[in-house]
Amino acid sequence: MERYSLLNLLRHARSHHENWQPAWRDPEPKPAYDVVIVGGGGHGLATAYYLAKRHGATNVAVVEKGWLGGGNTGRNTTIVRSNYLREEAAHLYEFALKLWEGLSVELNFNVMFSPRGVLNLGHSLQDMRDIERRVNANRLNGIDGEVLTPAEVQAKAPLINCSPTARYPVLGASWQPRGGVARHDAVAWGYARAADALGVDLLQHTEVVDIRVEGGRAKGVETSRGFIKADKVACVAAGHSSLLAAMAGLRLPIESRPLQALASEPLKPCLDTVVMSNAVHCYISQSDKGDLVIGAGTDAYNGYGQRGSFHVLEHAIQAVCELFPAFSRVRMNRQWGGIVDICPDACPIIGTTPVRGLYFNCGWGTGGFKSTPGSGYVFADTVANDRPHPLAAPFALERFHTGALIDEHGAAGVAH
Ligand SMILES: Cc1cc2nc3c(=O)[nH]c(=O)nc-3n(C[C@H](O)[C@H](O)[C@H](O)COP(=O)(O)OP(=O)(O)OC[C@H]3O[C@@H](n4cnc5c(N)ncnc54)[C@H](O)[C@@H]3O)c2cc1C
């Protein structure tokens, strides 16, 4: 294709960023599609891509009320790992991690996946027991993991305060070498460009205001640009999923809360792993631009304001200074929030619903960026075949009736 050629690349490099071709079309909505995907975040775009690529479904639209990747996809702290405790979750996240490893090649777009390793610190005997249990479970599931001593932690991240007299002394850590970070915008753009090239319509600034259901079956979506008929409606709207479910007369076991993050001024390279600590409640990495990317906790109340409370932010900064005293001199540049959708067992909901032709993929809470490729892959398969993909089956909505919950609060104890 002409737009991916080397000549084109050189022309753009010399053009002072002028005359760039749009990476995807800006089509008018068609009156009807086979599948309408609600939500143009990474998960929705990945779903569209795999529907077109793997299932030959190209009469598909992604309907996004804002801009592509402007929700949690563009607001997260980009940590990617698969070291979850429970078998069901471990297999799903590991499947996603394997897709991450080949994603730039798959999409012909650099998503800047950087497997720089993830440290989960332990600060008490119980923390270390939990870490050992999780690493053992991971290894039994074929997932890489090691238990590190404080000296080994110090060697990987020399700026961490590993003094035994620290308020929360570092007693060790779990280490997943294949974990790391990726560029969040690039993931959305890569999937968007590839889905568009396969014929998917990406409809930005188009809000779904109602879901039409007749005779127990989804018929399409009412949008700010008119009604769009659809054989299947697939909702992937993160923190706004309960609102969409209510439009179809469904109630989801989800709480929507603000989760904040912040980024510092750029620094010379000083932290080349991801560091997470449940006890001190801190997760931090250094971006390729040099800024420290820091995650805070969720607010204690439900809400849709993408800001969050100041005291939560203050707590996050205290935690960073506790672990990395040298960072107390660093200035913060900006702060933002996103609305995360939290399930009671800290696991997602993926699958069919009591309304025929209506599907939901949500509840990823504070940790769904890492699953973006895997989530899109299994959800596309679920929508295409009208039954759960085997990796998605344990995450069906029915688990809240049967009680077969998958408790991952241990692995998601710190927002990430
Ligand atoms: C501060 C923060 C830090 C995080 N850190 C991490 C991390 O380090 N690692 C990790 O794995 N996860 C992390 N997460 C979680 C992660 O960002 C999400 O789980 C993931 O990005 C969800 O992707 P998505 O595509 O489902 O949602 P989104 O990217 O939010 O996309 C949903 C889209 O739906 C659209 N939408 C909503 N309602 C409508 C409507 N009515 N009509 C049309 N469109 C609609 C929204 O505008 C939005 O663009 C973090 C989240 C936050 C907020």
Side-chain angles (χ1 to χ4, degrees):
M1 254 185 180
E2 197 273 332
R3 65 178 164 150
Y4 305 145
S5 74
L6 182 61
L7 199 64
N8 222 19
L9 193 66
L10 286 173
R11 195 158 52 85
H12 288 322
R14 293 172 56 85
S15 74
H16 304 284
H17 293 186
E18 291 158 6
N19 307 318
W20 282 42
Q21 302 292 313
W24 49 81
R25 295 164 298 125
D26 183 20
E28 283 300 309
K30 288 194 239 166
Y33 291 92
D34 295 339
V35 183
V36 162
I37 295 168
V38 186
H43 290 227
L45 293 164
T47 305
Y49 169 73
Y50 292 115
L51 266 174
K53 181 81 193 286
R54 295 200 63 249
H55 304 281
T58 52
N59 188 23
V60 173
V62 177
V63 180
E64 165 56 50
K65 70 175 177 179
W67 63 95
L68 301 181
N72 290 347
T73 297
R75 294 165 185 270
N76 70 78
T77 46
T78 78
I79 299 172
V80 173
R81 61 190 178 88
S82 65
N83 53 358
Y84 279 67
L85 176 67
R86 302 281 168 199
E87 199 145 307
E88 301 87 340
H91 288 316
L92 181 60
Y93 287 100
E94 176 61 14
F95 179 68
L97 183 50
K98 291 210 170 85
L99 290 178
W100 276 111
E101 287 165 347
L103 196 58
S104 294
V105 173
E106 166 84 24
L107 299 177
N108 187 24
F109 197 91
N110 188 359
V111 299
M112 297 169 73
F113 175 55
S114 166
R116 57 184 66 179
V118 175
L119 285 168
N120 288 85
L121 303 180
H123 301 273
S124 67
L125 200 54
Q126 188 56 44
D127 272 3
M128 290 312 297
R129 286 188 180 133
D130 290 344
I131 282 173
E132 280 159 19
R133 180 181 176 214
R134 186 154 53 84
V135 168
N136 286 339
N138 290 159
R139 288 163 76 141
L140 286 171
N141 278 322
I143 295 169
D144 58 322
E146 289 167 44
V147 179
L148 302 189
T149 64
E152 289 167 326
V153 172
Q154 191 79 87
K156 295 225 181 287
L159 287 181
I160 295 182
N161 178 12
C162 285
S163 159
T165 59
R167 183 147 55 136
Y168 298 100
V170 175
L171 301 186
S174 72
W175 168 244
Q176 186 180 20
R178 288 164 58 242
V181 291
R183 174 72 200 273
H184 47 14
D185 297 319
V187 177
W189 299 336
Y191 274 120
R193 193 180 72 150
D196 170 86
L198 291 168
V200 172
D201 281 358
L202 306 175
L203 308 174
Q204 301 188 71
H205 306 293
T206 310
E207 179 167 4
V208 170
V209 293
D210 202 4
I211 297 176
R212 194 180 288 180
V213 178
E214 286 170 13
R217 191 176 179 92
K219 293 287 177 184
V221 289
E222 300 285 355
T223 78
S224 50
R225 294 165 81 182
F227 177 68
I228 303 177
K229 192 169 176 292
D231 293 339
K232 295 181 176 180
V233 176
C235 298
V236 207
H240 294 84
S241 299
S242 312
L243 301 178
L244 284 163
M247 293 175 194
L250 299 175
R251 202 159 161 237
L252 296 177
I254 278 181
E255 294 198 3
S256 297
R257 296 201 208 144
L259 173 67
Q260 298 179 73
L262 56 162
S264 75
E265 61 188 342
L267 307 177
K268 289 266 168 62
C270 59
L271 180 64
D272 63 0
T273 61
V274 177
V275 178
M276 306 177 70
S277 160
N278 283 11
V280 185
H281 205 290
C282 164
Y283 48 113
I284 182 166
S285 66
Q286 187 172 23
S287 80
D288 294 327
K289 286 183 293 180
D291 27 352
L292 300 173
V293 180
I294 299 164
T298 51
D299 274 24
Y301 60 87
N302 294 352
Y304 292 96
Q306 294 187 126
R307 276 191 304 262
S309 307
F310 184 73
H311 72 275
V312 175
L313 211 56
E314 199 180 8
H315 184 150
I317 292 296
Q318 280 167 356
V320 170
C321 294
E322 182 82 37
L323 276 181
F324 295 89
F327 290 164
S328 59
R329 291 159 54 203
V330 177
R331 280 166 297 196
M332 293 299 136
N333 256 358
R334 55 203 173 84
Q335 164 276 348
W336 63 90
I339 307 304
V340 293
D341 45 344
I342 303 169
C343 279
D345 58 356
C347 274
I349 297 168
I350 314 170
T352 57
T353 69
V355 176
R356 290 195 311 285
L358 180 66
Y359 309 82
F360 267 86
N361 181 356
C362 58
W364 292 95
T366 60
F369 176 69
K370 62 178 71 63
S371 68
T372 304
S375 158
Y377 188 104
V378 301
F379 194 45
D381 185 273
T382 302
V383 173
N385 297 304
D386 204 26
R387 52 100 192 93
H389 181 280
L391 284 174
F395 299 96
L397 191 54
E398 288 86 62
R399 77 178 187 275
F400 297 99
H401 290 288
T402 62
L405 303 186
I406 306 160
D407 186 351
E408 273 297 355
H409 281 104
V414 58
H416 51 277

